[in-house]
Amino acid sequence: MKSDVWLTPPHIIDALGPFDLDPCSPIGRPWDTAAKHYTAEDDGLSFEWEGRVWMNPPYGAQAATWLERLAKHGDGIALVFARTETRMFFDWVWPHAAALLFIEGRLHFHHPDGTRAKANSGAPSVLIAYGEQAARKLLGSSIAGARVRLGGNA
């Protein structure tokens, strides 16, 4: 693999935006995901977060740290693999999220140069909304999938 950076497909951002902040944005990106971006060089976890947040966090064990921060911030949408049985989901999604959208099919992420990956993501993805405004935007979006309203953070 040439890079472990996988960009959110632009149609997802278009359907859910605009966003005020992307705290874990790629360093080089062909399109903006929010009005303000923090990259790995900035360490988005070390800054205050304001407004509506978009987050496609680093995958793996560190994703839980990012979801914890978004859950505590209470206003935004995250894109992660739909690993609903994991400790991360039981700690930071099920008790705190206001809504979920399980995306139909598997996403094709994009390379840092903006080209669409030839292969799909290899796993199902879910969008997680924290806060009532984010939940309304997610549930009313044109993104194909199964929508679930939850009781947290609403």
Side-chain angles (χ1 to χ4, degrees):
M1 185 166 29
K2 294 178 185 174
S3 171
D4 61 356
V5 176
W6 296 98
L7 305 181
T8 303
H11 77 276
I12 300 287
I13 300 299
D14 293 344
L16 299 173
F19 292 95
D20 300 307
L21 174 65
D22 182 343
C24 44
S25 179
I27 292 169
R29 61 189 172 276
W31 53 79
D32 286 335
T33 51
K36 186 174 187 175
H37 299 86
Y38 297 137
T39 69
E41 292 176 346
D42 302 315
D43 180 17
L45 289 171
S46 67
F47 288 91
E48 290 296 318
W49 292 5
E50 294 181 359
R52 203 158 153 256
V53 172
W54 165 255
M55 197 172 71
N56 178 355
Y59 283 29
Q62 59 188 324
T65 302
W66 290 94
L67 284 182
E68 175 184 3
R69 180 70 182 271
L70 186 54
K72 289 176 178 178
H73 176 70
D75 186 8
I77 298 174
L79 170 65
V80 298
F81 283 144
R83 307 274 194 232
T84 59
E85 80 291 0
T86 62
R87 174 62 26 215
M88 176 180 79
F89 259 75
F90 277 88
D91 288 347
W92 303 112
V93 178
W94 297 124
H96 301 283
L100 304 174
L101 194 162
F102 291 91
I103 297 173
E104 185 178 313
R106 292 193 175 169
L107 285 178
H108 284 256
F109 287 95
H110 290 245
H111 298 287
D113 67 2
T115 59
R116 183 178 185 257
K118 290 180 183 174
N120 68 43
S121 62
S125 297
V126 63
L127 291 157
I128 306 164
Y130 295 93
E132 184 56 34
Q133 178 186 2
R136 280 195 307 271
K137 190 74 168 186
L138 182 67
L139 296 171
S141 76
S142 61
I143 299 168
R147 290 153 171 76
V148 178
R149 176 59 106 149
L150 300 172
N153 246 1

